[in-house]
Amino acid sequence: MKKYRPYLISLVIFAGAIIFGISQNNLSFITLSDTLFMLGLPFLIVGSLLWIFSSGFFDTFQRSMHESLGRKQKKKANYTPFSQVGAGVYPFWLKIAGVLFLLALIFFAISNI
């Protein structure tokens, strides 16, 4: 059940977009496509940032900042490297974004037929 959670969340967001369109009396394929695209952007941004952080790109910068600030405090500060923060959670965010963008592209293609 846990592996299907991103897909269930994306289906709930999809249902929310349809309900929103119906409540605004403006439900069409193009508005649904636009709404799904805009709802997918935050998931893409968060997932991309977590993916970049998990690559270890910022670990050296973070370590040097902690060392320079630790000299002033005279004690060794414990910290969690950025590569460990988002190591396993970025696929969750990117799967939701992928499903929403795929649905947005499908409805965009249908609207242009």
Side-chain angles (χ1 to χ4, degrees), residues 52-76:
I52 292 169
F53 286 159
S54 70
S55 70
F57 183 76
F58 293 106
D59 284 348
T60 304
F61 175 74
Q62 182 187 18
R63 181 182 48 80
S64 66
M65 288 301 293
H66 278 280
E67 286 177 1
S68 67
L69 294 176
R71 289 182 199 153
K72 294 177 184 176
Q73 297 173 356
K74 303 287 186 205
K75 64 178 182 176
K76 189 85 168 171

mmCIF file of all heavy atoms in Angstrom, residues 52-76:
data_model
loop_
_atom_site.group_PDB
_atom_site.id
_atom_site.type_symbol
_atom_site.label_atom_id
_atom_site.label_comp_id
_atom_site.label_asym_id
_atom_site.label_seq_id
_atom_site.Cartn_x
_atom_site.Cartn_y
_atom_site.Cartn_z
ATOM 1 N N ILE A 52 18.638 17.137 -5.857
ATOM 2 C CA ILE A 52 19.932 17.819 -5.935
ATOM 3 C C ILE A 52 20.653 17.730 -4.598
ATOM 4 O O ILE A 52 21.862 17.476 -4.552
ATOM 5 C CB ILE A 52 19.741 19.282 -6.373
ATOM 6 C CG1 ILE A 52 19.270 19.325 -7.824
ATOM 7 C CG2 ILE A 52 21.026 20.073 -6.207
ATOM 8 C CD1 ILE A 52 18.793 20.687 -8.270
ATOM 9 N N PHE A 53 19.918 17.928 -3.499
ATOM 10 C CA PHE A 53 20.547 17.827 -2.186
ATOM 11 C C PHE A 53 21.054 16.419 -1.926
ATOM 12 O O PHE A 53 22.117 16.242 -1.324
ATOM 13 C CB PHE A 53 19.577 18.224 -1.076
ATOM 14 C CG PHE A 53 19.319 19.696 -0.979
ATOM 15 C CD1 PHE A 53 18.190 20.169 -0.346
ATOM 16 C CD2 PHE A 53 20.190 20.623 -1.520
ATOM 17 C CE1 PHE A 53 17.946 21.530 -0.242
ATOM 18 C CE2 PHE A 53 19.957 21.983 -1.427
ATOM 19 C CZ PHE A 53 18.829 22.429 -0.781
ATOM 20 N N SER A 54 20.314 15.400 -2.347
ATOM 21 C CA SER A 54 20.721 14.023 -2.078
ATOM 22 C C SER A 54 21.918 13.599 -2.916
ATOM 23 O O SER A 54 22.560 12.598 -2.606
ATOM 24 C CB SER A 54 19.561 13.057 -2.313
ATOM 25 O OG SER A 54 19.263 12.971 -3.689
ATOM 26 N N SER A 55 22.253 14.362 -3.955
ATOM 27 C CA SER A 55 23.416 14.010 -4.770
ATOM 28 C C SER A 55 24.728 14.315 -4.059
ATOM 29 O O SER A 55 25.781 13.825 -4.465
ATOM 30 C CB SER A 55 23.367 14.763 -6.106
ATOM 31 O OG SER A 55 23.611 16.148 -5.902
ATOM 32 N N GLY A 56 24.690 15.122 -3.000
ATOM 33 C CA GLY A 56 25.902 15.443 -2.264
ATOM 34 C C GLY A 56 26.605 16.684 -2.767
ATOM 35 O O GLY A 56 27.709 17.000 -2.347
ATOM 36 N N PHE A 57 25.983 17.414 -3.663
ATOM 37 C CA PHE A 57 26.594 18.591 -4.268
ATOM 38 C C PHE A 57 26.875 19.680 -3.240
ATOM 39 O O PHE A 57 27.902 20.356 -3.303
ATOM 40 C CB PHE A 57 25.684 19.128 -5.382
ATOM 41 C CG PHE A 57 26.241 20.299 -6.124
ATOM 42 C CD1 PHE A 57 27.239 20.119 -7.053
ATOM 43 C CD2 PHE A 57 25.770 21.575 -5.882
ATOM 44 C CE1 PHE A 57 27.763 21.190 -7.750
ATOM 45 C CE2 PHE A 57 26.278 22.651 -6.564
ATOM 46 C CZ PHE A 57 27.277 22.462 -7.508
ATOM 47 N N PHE A 58 25.993 19.848 -2.259
ATOM 48 C CA PHE A 58 26.131 20.924 -1.281
ATOM 49 C C PHE A 58 26.786 20.482 0.022
ATOM 50 O O PHE A 58 26.923 21.290 0.946
ATOM 51 C CB PHE A 58 24.758 21.537 -0.967
ATOM 52 C CG PHE A 58 24.163 22.259 -2.122
ATOM 53 C CD1 PHE A 58 23.102 21.712 -2.826
ATOM 54 C CD2 PHE A 58 24.641 23.489 -2.516
ATOM 55 C CE1 PHE A 58 22.539 22.377 -3.888
ATOM 56 C CE2 PHE A 58 24.088 24.168 -3.577
ATOM 57 C CZ PHE A 58 23.035 23.609 -4.263
ATOM 58 N N ASP A 59 27.192 19.227 0.126
ATOM 59 C CA ASP A 59 27.759 18.732 1.380
ATOM 60 C C ASP A 59 29.071 19.427 1.747
ATOM 61 O O ASP A 59 29.314 19.742 2.919
ATOM 62 C CB ASP A 59 27.978 17.225 1.318
ATOM 63 C CG ASP A 59 26.694 16.452 1.461
ATOM 64 O OD1 ASP A 59 25.670 17.070 1.829
ATOM 65 O OD2 ASP A 59 26.703 15.241 1.204
ATOM 66 N N THR A 60 29.920 19.680 0.778
ATOM 67 C CA THR A 60 31.198 20.334 1.057
ATOM 68 C C THR A 60 30.976 21.759 1.546
ATOM 69 O O THR A 60 31.612 22.203 2.507
ATOM 70 C CB THR A 60 32.076 20.340 -0.210
ATOM 71 O OG1 THR A 60 32.226 18.998 -0.660
ATOM 72 C CG2 THR A 60 33.433 20.936 0.080
ATOM 73 N N PHE A 61 30.080 22.470 0.901
ATOM 74 C CA PHE A 61 29.767 23.830 1.333
ATOM 75 C C PHE A 61 29.175 23.825 2.739
ATOM 76 O O PHE A 61 29.549 24.650 3.588
ATOM 77 C CB PHE A 61 28.792 24.473 0.344
ATOM 78 C CG PHE A 61 28.313 25.831 0.758
ATOM 79 C CD1 PHE A 61 29.155 26.925 0.674
ATOM 80 C CD2 PHE A 61 27.037 26.007 1.244
ATOM 81 C CE1 PHE A 61 28.725 28.181 1.066
ATOM 82 C CE2 PHE A 61 26.596 27.249 1.640
ATOM 83 C CZ PHE A 61 27.443 28.341 1.548
ATOM 84 N N GLN A 62 28.274 22.904 3.013
ATOM 85 C CA GLN A 62 27.657 22.824 4.331
ATOM 86 C C GLN A 62 28.693 22.485 5.395
ATOM 87 O O GLN A 62 28.693 23.075 6.486
ATOM 88 C CB GLN A 62 26.544 21.776 4.321
ATOM 89 C CG GLN A 62 25.810 21.660 5.628
ATOM 90 C CD GLN A 62 24.825 20.515 5.640
ATOM 91 O OE1 GLN A 62 24.900 19.604 4.818
ATOM 92 N NE2 GLN A 62 23.910 20.539 6.574
ATOM 93 N N ARG A 63 29.607 21.563 5.097
ATOM 94 C CA ARG A 63 30.648 21.183 6.061
ATOM 95 C C ARG A 63 31.569 22.355 6.360
ATOM 96 O O ARG A 63 31.901 22.625 7.515
ATOM 97 C CB ARG A 63 31.455 20.002 5.520
ATOM 98 C CG ARG A 63 32.540 19.516 6.472
ATOM 99 C CD ARG A 63 33.352 18.367 5.880
ATOM 100 N NE ARG A 63 33.813 18.590 4.532
ATOM 101 C CZ ARG A 63 34.881 19.327 4.194
ATOM 102 N NH1 ARG A 63 35.583 19.920 5.117
ATOM 103 N NH2 ARG A 63 35.234 19.457 2.922
ATOM 104 N N SER A 64 31.945 23.095 5.309
ATOM 105 C CA SER A 64 32.834 24.235 5.543
ATOM 106 C C SER A 64 32.140 25.341 6.335
ATOM 107 O O SER A 64 32.776 26.007 7.157
ATOM 108 C CB SER A 64 33.365 24.776 4.221
ATOM 109 O OG SER A 64 32.316 25.317 3.450
ATOM 110 N N MET A 65 30.853 25.537 6.122
ATOM 111 C CA MET A 65 30.122 26.533 6.904
ATOM 112 C C MET A 65 30.039 26.124 8.377
ATOM 113 O O MET A 65 30.195 26.957 9.270
ATOM 114 C CB MET A 65 28.716 26.742 6.339
ATOM 115 C CG MET A 65 28.691 27.482 5.023
ATOM 116 S SD MET A 65 29.422 29.117 5.123
ATOM 117 C CE MET A 65 28.269 29.944 6.176
ATOM 118 N N HIS A 66 29.807 24.840 8.634
ATOM 119 C CA HIS A 66 29.745 24.377 10.020
ATOM 120 C C HIS A 66 31.115 24.463 10.691
ATOM 121 O O HIS A 66 31.204 24.764 11.884
ATOM 122 C CB HIS A 66 29.200 22.950 10.090
ATOM 123 C CG HIS A 66 27.710 22.886 10.043
ATOM 124 N ND1 HIS A 66 26.931 23.126 11.143
ATOM 125 C CD2 HIS A 66 26.853 22.620 9.035
ATOM 126 C CE1 HIS A 66 25.659 23.013 10.810
ATOM 127 N NE2 HIS A 66 25.588 22.702 9.529
ATOM 128 N N GLU A 67 32.180 24.204 9.931
ATOM 129 C CA GLU A 67 33.514 24.325 10.513
ATOM 130 C C GLU A 67 33.851 25.772 10.822
ATOM 131 O O GLU A 67 34.430 26.069 11.866
ATOM 132 C CB GLU A 67 34.548 23.735 9.565
ATOM 133 C CG GLU A 67 34.535 22.230 9.527
ATOM 134 C CD GLU A 67 35.524 21.669 8.524
ATOM 135 O OE1 GLU A 67 36.231 22.466 7.863
ATOM 136 O OE2 GLU A 67 35.592 20.442 8.407
ATOM 137 N N SER A 68 33.500 26.686 9.942
ATOM 138 C CA SER A 68 33.821 28.088 10.191
ATOM 139 C C SER A 68 32.981 28.666 11.321
ATOM 140 O O SER A 68 33.459 29.466 12.118
ATOM 141 C CB SER A 68 33.644 28.919 8.917
ATOM 142 O OG SER A 68 32.287 28.978 8.562
ATOM 143 N N LEU A 69 31.740 28.267 11.417
ATOM 144 C CA LEU A 69 30.898 28.735 12.519
ATOM 145 C C LEU A 69 31.246 28.023 13.815
ATOM 146 O O LEU A 69 31.069 28.582 14.898
ATOM 147 C CB LEU A 69 29.421 28.534 12.189
ATOM 148 C CG LEU A 69 28.878 29.371 11.028
ATOM 149 C CD1 LEU A 69 27.437 28.996 10.743
ATOM 150 C CD2 LEU A 69 29.005 30.850 11.321
ATOM 151 N N GLY A 70 31.739 26.804 13.733
ATOM 152 C CA GLY A 70 32.124 26.049 14.918
ATOM 153 C C GLY A 70 33.357 26.610 15.586
ATOM 154 O O GLY A 70 33.567 26.437 16.781
ATOM 155 N N ARG A 71 34.223 27.295 14.836
ATOM 156 C CA ARG A 71 35.411 27.918 15.430
ATOM 157 C C ARG A 71 35.021 29.034 16.384
ATOM 158 O O ARG A 71 35.662 29.246 17.402
ATOM 159 C CB ARG A 71 36.307 28.493 14.336
ATOM 160 C CG ARG A 71 36.992 27.453 13.524
ATOM 161 C CD ARG A 71 37.887 28.094 12.497
ATOM 162 N NE ARG A 71 38.187 27.125 11.458
ATOM 163 C CZ ARG A 71 38.478 27.422 10.223
ATOM 164 N NH1 ARG A 71 38.540 28.689 9.857
ATOM 165 N NH2 ARG A 71 38.732 26.487 9.356
ATOM 166 N N LYS A 72 33.973 29.757 16.041
ATOM 167 C CA LYS A 72 33.530 30.844 16.900
ATOM 168 C C LYS A 72 32.854 30.320 18.166
ATOM 169 O O LYS A 72 32.909 30.943 19.211
ATOM 170 C CB LYS A 72 32.567 31.760 16.150
ATOM 171 C CG LYS A 72 33.207 32.492 15.007
ATOM 172 C CD LYS A 72 32.188 33.323 14.264
ATOM 173 C CE LYS A 72 32.835 33.965 13.053
ATOM 174 N NZ LYS A 72 31.847 34.706 12.252
ATOM 175 N N GLN A 73 32.210 29.177 18.056
ATOM 176 C CA GLN A 73 31.475 28.629 19.194
ATOM 177 C C GLN A 73 32.339 27.731 20.072
ATOM 178 O O GLN A 73 31.916 27.316 21.136
ATOM 179 C CB GLN A 73 30.263 27.831 18.701
ATOM 180 C CG GLN A 73 29.252 28.678 17.964
ATOM 181 C CD GLN A 73 28.153 27.837 17.353
ATOM 182 O OE1 GLN A 73 28.175 26.617 17.403
ATOM 183 N NE2 GLN A 73 27.169 28.498 16.761
ATOM 184 N N LYS A 74 33.524 27.391 19.628
ATOM 185 C CA LYS A 74 34.479 26.568 20.378
ATOM 186 C C LYS A 74 33.981 25.152 20.674
ATOM 187 O O LYS A 74 34.462 24.494 21.571
ATOM 188 C CB LYS A 74 34.856 27.229 21.708
ATOM 189 C CG LYS A 74 35.420 28.604 21.575
ATOM 190 C CD LYS A 74 36.804 28.565 21.022
ATOM 191 C CE LYS A 74 37.372 29.981 21.063
ATOM 192 N NZ LYS A 74 38.386 30.216 20.120
ATOM 193 N N LYS A 75 32.978 24.711 19.932
ATOM 194 C CA LYS A 75 32.551 23.329 20.113
ATOM 195 C C LYS A 75 32.131 22.774 18.755
ATOM 196 O O LYS A 75 31.780 23.512 17.843
ATOM 197 C CB LYS A 75 31.418 23.198 21.122
ATOM 198 C CG LYS A 75 30.131 23.865 20.714
ATOM 199 C CD LYS A 75 29.063 23.628 21.768
ATOM 200 C CE LYS A 75 27.763 24.268 21.307
ATOM 201 N NZ LYS A 75 26.679 23.985 22.228
ATOM 202 N N LYS A 76 32.191 21.486 18.673
ATOM 203 C CA LYS A 76 31.869 20.797 17.430
ATOM 204 C C LYS A 76 30.354 20.648 17.316
ATOM 205 O O LYS A 76 29.725 20.022 18.169
ATOM 206 C CB LYS A 76 32.535 19.433 17.420
ATOM 207 C CG LYS A 76 32.461 18.712 16.132
ATOM 208 C CD LYS A 76 33.573 19.148 15.226
ATOM 209 C CE LYS A 76 33.628 18.175 14.060
ATOM 210 N NZ LYS A 76 34.502 18.630 13.051
#
